[in-house]
Amino acid sequence: MIQPSPSRTRLSPRAALAGLAILLVAVLAPSPAARGAGLAESLLAEPRPALLADIGREGDAGRGAIVFHAAHLACLKCHAVGTGPSPLGPDLARAPEGIPAGEIRAHLVDALLEPSKRVLPAYRGVTIVTDDGASRTGILARESPEEVVLRDAALPGGEIAIPARSIEERVEAQVSLMPAGLPNLLGRRGEFLDLVAYLEAIATGGPERALALAPDPALVARSGPADYERDIDHAGFIADLADPGRAREAFERGAATYARVCANCHGTPEAPGSLPTAPRFATHRFKAGSDPLSLYRTLTVGVGQMVPQGWMVPSQKYDVIHYLRETFLRDRSDLAYVAVTPEYLAGLPRGASRGPAPAATDPWRLHDYGPFMAATIEPGRDGRPPVRKGFAVRLDPGGEGIGRGRDFALHDLDTLALAAWWRGDGFIDWEGINFDGRHGAWPHSVGTLWLAAPEGPGWADPDTGSFDDPRPLGRDGRPFGPIPWARMRSVHHAGDAILLDFRVGDAAVLETLRLEPVSAAVAPAAGGAGPDGARVPVLTRSFSFGP
């Protein structure tokens, strides 16, 4: 994947190409340590005739199609297989130009193991250095006396238009834009044999063969930018921020998103983040560019260990980018803050769409999770410790899932204790990384808390009768892990009821909960009024013991 990122540091073409080669390896290939003893090196060391024979004898084109379409290899970001234009490299469902039919297999092996051994002129990278010191790299799409247009791999199918009058230097790459070492991303030698078998099959069989071999979408985890990313009005988004009112609103929205999703890893101006490999923006050197478009690309397609943020729509990305630039970059002295000039806006990819609006509803609230949920949950918001291995069940009847209930109970699967019981609309507040994306947080119960048991074993040690907690303490000073004399085994459905199946000592135990209907005559005996003045219901815990 190429990152043709504008930079305020003036680079010679050779330096720009060297940086590009490093970036390509960093983004698409394994680490240097992995490459030192990787699959690619072992395949290169094999006698080539034996390797080619094994491809014909053991390679399976159907399995190879699944390998090719796997998201982590990103093959389709650069290559087409017979449908539509090829974003960057050659269409692989066409016979390689100038290669005899009997040599296609050997050519494909060379292309994967030694990609710079033979690079067709039409697919050589071009680096252009402009008079403002920025360098841009891509495949030449077309040129005229007024402009040069490059195909940009970071936004598949996207183009960069560079005014001819601004071009200071132009150099063709002498190495392939496809980095060496990509086979190291495969799990085993057999996957390489399958991959070459697939590429040979579609190169000789054409688009029809590629269509026939296309894998079931369920078998591959394909991910990539949404289709609307091809037509985004980047200049419009960025130009809007010249208006003080719009800039202030974007900053506030971006600050909220950054605090919720980004700050835990990347830190704030006052404190570092919790992830050592995540850059601190106040001091980070942005290898993929720190101008607005480059930051947008990083959020859209990822770079290095940063995965694409597919949940963000374009407006959310530019809100966060504006906050990041104004908070972390504006006052830096190393030119990390790239000024937005008319020339910069004119060089952005052309588009007419603002993309979809941010979701008006939270999908994690609408999802039907079924009648129970395993999650770390804190009973209430009064500072009680969260139940790390919480198992929440819906007590009132209803087939719309736990999130649509009104009565809930929470077990601790480490201690096998009934940890909490509450009533209210909403179940939990849906905070946490697996719901709203918030880092360093967990959900809390919502509503009236009828019961919040102290932390500790729910069953005594069968040998001593003691409820003392022997578990080790974590860094937070709290015990963690299961109690040694009890073990959770499974969960069973019995009609509307959920049964926990566990062992205490040598005894098998089944436990289920039921919310009892309470008549007016029984209500006083059930405890009278609850914390909010409401009539207290009755919760029955039922146990079935084995021998």
Side-chain angles (χ1 to χ4, degrees), residues 14-27 29 137 175-177 179-180:
R14 290 184 182 275
L17 288 172
L20 171 65
I22 293 171
L23 179 60
L24 284 167
V25 172
V27 173
T137 303
V175 297
S176 172
L177 295 181

Side-chain angles (χ1 to χ4, degrees), residues 35-364:
R35 292 196 305 272
L39 178 63
E41 286 67 37
S42 66
L43 291 168
L44 276 169
E46 289 189 30
R48 188 57 56 87
L51 178 60
L52 296 175
D54 283 352
I55 292 169
R57 182 172 55 253
E58 303 174 25
D60 183 281
R63 293 195 304 260
I66 297 174
V67 174
F68 177 86
H69 286 84
H72 70 282
L73 292 184
C75 302
L76 291 171
K77 287 189 175 182
C78 296
H79 297 282
V81 284
T83 56
S86 197
L88 192 67
D91 184 341
L92 298 178
R94 311 285 179 188
E97 181 181 335
I99 304 298
E103 300 177 13
I104 288 179
R105 184 182 301 170
H107 167 76
L108 293 170
V109 170
D110 284 344
L112 289 168
L113 298 180
E114 300 177 274
S116 296
K117 186 174 181 178
R118 184 178 187 272
V119 182
L120 297 176
Y123 301 105
R124 288 189 182 277
V126 177
T127 293
I128 292 177
V129 181
T130 55
D131 53 15
D132 63 354
S135 63
R136 296 174 172 86
T137 303
I139 296 295
L140 182 65
R142 58 187 178 278
E143 62 180 312
S144 68
E146 291 75 31
E147 65 179 9
V148 173
V149 180
L150 301 181
R151 292 208 310 270
D152 177 8
L155 295 173
E159 296 182 344
I160 307 171
I162 304 171
R165 66 178 183 278
S166 69
I167 297 175
E168 188 171 290
E169 296 178 274
R170 170 175 169 173
V171 172
E172 283 194 359
Q174 300 305 307
V175 297
S176 172
L177 295 181
M178 177 175 169
L182 281 181
N184 290 336
L185 296 174
L186 301 176
R188 53 187 174 80
R189 181 177 182 269
E191 289 187 350
F192 180 82
L193 304 183
D194 293 339
L195 176 60
V196 178
Y198 166 74
L199 295 175
E200 183 180 13
I202 64 174
T204 56
E208 295 80 9
R209 182 64 172 146
L211 181 62
L213 287 171
D216 187 326
L219 299 178
V220 293
R222 297 183 61 180
S223 62
D227 289 342
Y228 61 72
E229 292 287 358
R230 298 173 181 269
D231 191 38
I232 295 302
D233 180 14
H234 296 278
F237 272 119
I238 298 170
D240 282 351
L241 299 174
D243 178 86
R246 291 183 175 180
R248 182 174 58 255
E249 293 172 356
F251 183 91
E252 292 172 354
R253 292 191 301 264
T257 300
Y258 186 91
R260 178 168 60 88
V261 180
C262 314
N264 186 68
C265 292
H266 293 283
T268 66
E270 297 77 27
S274 63
L275 189 65
T277 57
R280 289 212 55 197
F281 295 130
T283 57
H284 178 60
R285 179 176 174 267
F286 291 82
K287 296 179 182 179
S290 59
D291 64 287
L293 180 61
S294 296
L295 295 173
Y296 185 95
R297 287 170 174 159
T298 296
L299 290 172
T300 303
V301 301
V303 64
Q305 296 183 36
M306 173 73 175
V307 299
Q309 301 300 299
W311 62 274
M312 301 177 77
V313 298
S315 61
Q316 291 172 310
K317 296 175 193 176
Y318 274 117
D319 288 345
V320 171
I321 290 168
H322 178 58
Y323 170 79
L324 187 154
R325 280 167 44 82
E326 297 301 313
T327 302
F328 294 93
L329 306 185
R330 177 175 281 279
D331 296 330
R332 283 176 54 168
S333 59
D334 59 355
L335 301 179
Y337 185 88
V338 179
V340 174
T341 63
E343 291 76 18
Y344 176 80
L345 293 175
L348 296 175
R350 297 163 184 168
S353 169
R354 294 295 182 102
T361 59
D362 299 332
W364 49 88

Side-chain angles (χ1 to χ4, degrees), residues 508-519:
V509 183
L510 293 176
E511 177 181 355
T512 187
L513 303 175
R514 186 170 69 242
L515 195 66
E516 302 287 356
V518 181
S519 67

